[in-house]
Amino acid sequence: MGSFDVPLDDERTQLDAFVEEYRNAVEATLDGLAEEQVRRRLVASQTTLLGLLKHVTWMQRMWFEECVGGTPRRELDVVESADESFGLTDDDTIASVTAAHREACATARSIVADLPLDTVVTGHWTGPRTLRWVYLQVLRELAHHCGHADILREQLLASD
């Protein structure tokens, strides 16, 4: 279900639809590309298509598992900073990073399933916020990085 399928639905349904749409969109930027292509650096930073998917996986884990779920970052077995989350190891592949992304999304869905949007969550180091705010932040980051991924994909396809 996409965002255009729910224009008159309740706010939660709309937020879920937008988040899911962007989760799927960032994954789709890898479709049909080779491992070498998704690891190729086309900009000065370490941003790559595979690195972007790895980062949005990390980002969602931070907001949903740490901030909403209350699991401290040190217990999540993740890198500490957003910058580090783009880094790729030799073991990272399209399949492994996509699987990790899907697992993080499933966990996020489970964590928020029974929580109203007005729930105040306290697991973020900067202080409390509502679940609605977390949804909006995740949506903002997903949309932002989908734009990056679209441009990188366009550059890859034009250069090969």
Side-chain angles (χ1 to χ4, degrees), residues 5 8 149:
D5 297 322
L8 300 177

Side-chain angles (χ1 to χ4, degrees), residues 47 49 52 86 143-153 155:
T47 304
L49 276 178
L52 278 168
F86 286 90
H144 179 78
H145 293 306
C146 275
H148 293 146
D150 286 342
I151 291 167
L152 290 178
R153 181 180 174 88
Q155 288 179 313

Side-chain angles (χ1 to χ4, degrees), residues 7 11-12 20 29 32 45-46 57 75 77 126 132 138 148 159:
E11 181 182 20
R12 179 62 171 269
E20 289 301 323
T29 62
S45 71
Q46 65 175 326
T57 300
E75 293 177 24
D77 190 30
T126 63
R132 176 182 289 101
V138 168
H148 293 146
S159 69

Side-chain angles (χ1 to χ4, degrees), residues 29-42 47-50 148-160:
T29 62
L30 305 178
D31 288 351
L33 297 177
E35 295 289 339
E36 178 279 323
Q37 290 174 299
V38 299
R39 296 176 80 86
R40 192 180 308 164
R41 289 178 60 178
L42 301 169
T47 304
T48 63
L49 276 178
L50 194 60
H148 293 146
D150 286 342
I151 291 167
L152 290 178
R153 181 180 174 88
E154 184 177 326
Q155 288 179 313
L156 283 168
L157 293 175
S159 69
D160 287 340

Side-chain angles (χ1 to χ4, degrees), residues 1-3 5-6 9-18 117:
M1 167 177 16
S3 58
D5 297 322
V6 295
D9 287 51
D10 63 276
E11 181 182 20
R12 179 62 171 269
T13 301
Q14 291 177 349
L15 286 170
D16 283 333
F18 273 93
L117 291 174

Side-chain angles (χ1 to χ4, degrees), residues 42-78:
L42 301 169
V43 293
S45 71
Q46 65 175 326
T47 304
T48 63
L49 276 178
L50 194 60
L52 278 168
L53 184 58
K54 192 170 180 181
H55 169 71
V56 299
T57 300
W58 177 89
M59 175 271 297
Q60 290 181 86
R61 293 195 68 200
M62 294 307 91
W63 286 115
F64 291 115
E65 294 177 45
E66 181 182 42
C67 182
V68 179
T71 303
R73 191 171 298 197
R74 67 186 173 282
E75 293 177 24
L76 292 176
D77 190 30
V78 296

